[in-house]
Amino acid sequence: MSRVAIVGVGWYGFKPTTIDVSFQDMMFESSARAYANAKIDPRYDVDAFVDCQEDMWEGIAISDEFAPEPIGGALRPTFTVAGDGLEGIAHAYMLIKTGHFNVVSVESHGKPSEIKTLQDIYRFALDPLHVRPLDYVNPLFYAGLDAVAYMKRTGTKREHLAMVAVKNKNNGLSNERASFSTRIDLDYVLSSSYSIYPMTNYEIAPFSDASITFVLASEDYAKKLTENPVWIEGIGYSTETGTGATEWHEWGKMKSFRSAALMAYKMANLNGNPQVDFAEIEDRFSFMELLALEETMLVKEGEAHKMLEKGDLNRDGFLPVNPSGGSLSMGVQLEATGLSRLLEAYLQLTGKAGNHQLKNVRRGLVASWRGVPTYTSMVALLSV
């Protein structure tokens, strides 16, 4: 079957607030830029449109009714995915693999700055019988419990979580999309007050507004549209039990990450470690970067914090991780968070990452998690 490539991308936002535009405006801006980047006309050249959004985040019932017009899909095959943008990429990938679609666009966005009842949305995602009635439960504390269990299991120390924050916050200083980057050191993070034990505010990614649109194409069309296609070697996604009914969740682990990675590696005809040149992975909580490295099998279990200590995960290290600054610097864009990581990987592989461009990169891994209290993970393997 035909290979699938990314042939264009557009983005808009990456700011704490975007009071001058609506979410539909952001969708239009990122999509228009993506089609211009791919040198296509969406009215004639795109076979299907995928949009990733969730009614609860939008604050609008049946929000998919707002999808077609801003992304160019009016009166065209358009559907929505209530999940992270990487799940939308997987759907587009499968459409093209059928042989019936040659060009598919994928858009996802988040505008958390307009959500007035964010805590209530988190609460609504909790188990409705046993956990949600406990009004004092904050779903973000699930991340704290996972962090403590992970640290105990692997020997990771409090200092290692802070080191992730220092690395990513400083990496983001070279990235124009990293609104929350800052020059900090280890002592400063460790001396800060806990926000959710064992993490300070510097180790928990804030929110930002953004829309991102990708254009995917079959191999024949990709070679016609661009001289620099980025190939999707494999993509996987998985969901384990969550929503606060945690008797099935193994604390300090993320089986969904491992399952998603294995799916992606199988598609790419790889076994185990894919030998990537860099990774853009989940870090909305600092410990998640280390956990994701191990669950995606990029490093051995319990070894991530050791590599961090040696500098192997730095931008100039053996395995650069989140050279963009990750979500800790760029923020969490709700359902567009996975596409943020994909955007940064795409820019690296096409040599367009600007001041944070790495040298001689040919293959990268992208991994995203939909966030507490869910346990849905996505992994994509890209190459040039």
Side-chain angles (χ1 to χ4, degrees):
M1 289 189 291
S2 171
R3 291 191 294 171
V4 179
I6 298 171
V7 297
V9 66
W11 59 270
Y12 183 86
F14 290 102
K15 301 176 182 178
T17 60
T18 49
I19 59 175
D20 53 330
V21 294
S22 66
F23 75 88
Q24 297 102 315
D25 292 329
M26 293 200 306
M27 295 166 68
F28 173 81
E29 292 291 344
S30 69
S31 298
R33 296 174 188 192
Y35 303 141
N37 182 244
K39 299 180 177 63
I40 61 174
D41 185 335
R43 303 305 300 160
Y44 302 100
D45 301 322
V46 179
D47 299 316
F49 300 78
V50 185
D51 196 64
C52 299
Q53 56 183 328
E54 167 63 57
D55 287 7
M56 296 296 290
W57 294 132
E58 305 291 2
I60 301 171
I62 320 178
S63 60
D64 55 347
E65 293 183 352
F66 292 84
E69 287 84 357
I71 62 177
L75 302 178
R76 304 291 301 283
T78 304
F79 67 94
T80 58
V81 175
D84 183 90
L86 275 183
E87 294 178 84
I89 295 291
H91 280 75
Y93 177 93
M94 290 186 284
L95 286 176
I96 294 172
K97 280 290 190 178
T98 66
H100 296 292
F101 300 82
N102 290 307
V103 180
V104 180
S105 76
V106 180
E107 189 276 341
S108 188
H109 58 274
K111 209 169 191 295
S113 66
E114 291 188 349
I115 299 176
K116 296 182 179 180
T117 57
L118 187 64
Q119 183 65 27
D120 288 336
I121 296 176
Y122 278 127
R123 181 175 175 272
F124 192 79
L126 294 171
D127 172 75
L129 298 179
H130 305 291
V131 182
R132 195 188 303 166
L134 305 175
D135 288 338
Y136 58 85
V137 173
N138 182 344
L140 296 184
F141 280 100
Y142 284 96
L145 294 174
D146 266 321
V148 171
Y150 170 75
M151 293 165 66
K152 183 177 181 180
R153 178 171 61 82
T154 61
T156 301
K157 304 298 183 185
R158 169 74 191 87
E159 290 77 8
H160 296 121
L161 273 59
M163 288 172 67
V164 172
V166 171
K167 173 178 71 69
N168 292 359
K169 290 286 190 180
N170 281 281
N171 279 352
L173 291 170
S174 302
N175 185 354
E176 61 179 321
R177 289 167 294 280
S179 297
F180 303 101
S181 60
T182 184
R183 193 171 300 282
I184 54 174
D185 58 29
L186 187 62
D187 289 340
Y188 188 84
V189 177
L190 291 174
S191 63
S192 300
S193 301
Y194 290 121
S195 181
I196 296 174
Y197 183 84
M199 295 171 286
T200 68
N201 210 37
Y202 292 101
E203 294 151 285
I204 301 172
F207 292 103
S208 69
D209 297 351
S211 173
I212 309 164
T213 302
F214 279 92
V215 180
L216 276 59
S218 62
E219 186 168 3
D220 289 342
Y221 274 69
K223 291 179 179 179
K224 295 176 184 177
L225 293 171
T226 180
E227 296 179 354
N228 301 299
V230 172
W231 303 103
I232 301 177
E233 291 190 71
I235 188 165
Y237 51 92
S238 177
T239 299
E240 57 185 295
T241 300
T243 73
T246 55
E247 62 272 16
W248 298 110
H249 173 63
E250 187 172 356
W251 293 108
K253 290 192 174 184
M254 193 70 75
K255 294 179 181 178
S256 56
F257 257 136
R258 188 165 296 251
S259 296
L262 289 172
M263 184 186 298
Y265 301 159
K266 184 178 180 180
M267 284 187 185
N269 295 316
L270 297 172
N271 294 317
N273 190 328
Q275 299 297 321
V276 300
D277 298 314
F278 71 99
E280 282 284 340
I281 63 175
E282 179 61 49
D283 71 326
R284 71 186 69 202
F285 301 103
S286 58
F287 82 97
M288 280 299 300
E289 178 175 296
L290 305 176
L291 175 60
L293 281 171
E294 296 177 4
E295 293 289 25
T296 57
M297 295 162 283
L298 290 182
V299 305
K300 294 180 180 179
E301 190 169 301
E303 294 294 317
H305 68 280
K306 299 176 184 178
M307 295 183 67
L308 182 68
E309 280 184 351
K310 293 188 294 183
D312 288 342
L313 308 184
N314 293 342
R315 192 178 292 169
D316 57 354
F318 173 74
L319 176 61
V321 177
N322 289 327
S324 64
S327 292
L328 286 171
S329 277
M330 296 176 65
V332 171
Q333 300 82 33
L334 303 179
E335 306 294 22
T337 306
L339 291 193
S340 296
R341 305 276 63 74
L342 187 66
L343 169 64
E344 294 298 333
Y346 174 82
L347 293 175
Q348 287 289 349
L349 291 169
T350 54
K352 299 176 181 178
N355 292 330
H356 61 288
Q357 178 67 51
L358 302 173
K359 297 180 179 179
N360 304 317
V361 289
R362 303 284 299 175
R363 176 187 279 167
L365 183 132
V366 176
S368 183
W369 168 50
R370 208 176 175 205
V372 292
T374 72
Y375 290 95
T376 297
S377 305
M378 294 70 57
V379 173
L381 195 63
L382 309 177
S383 67
V384 292

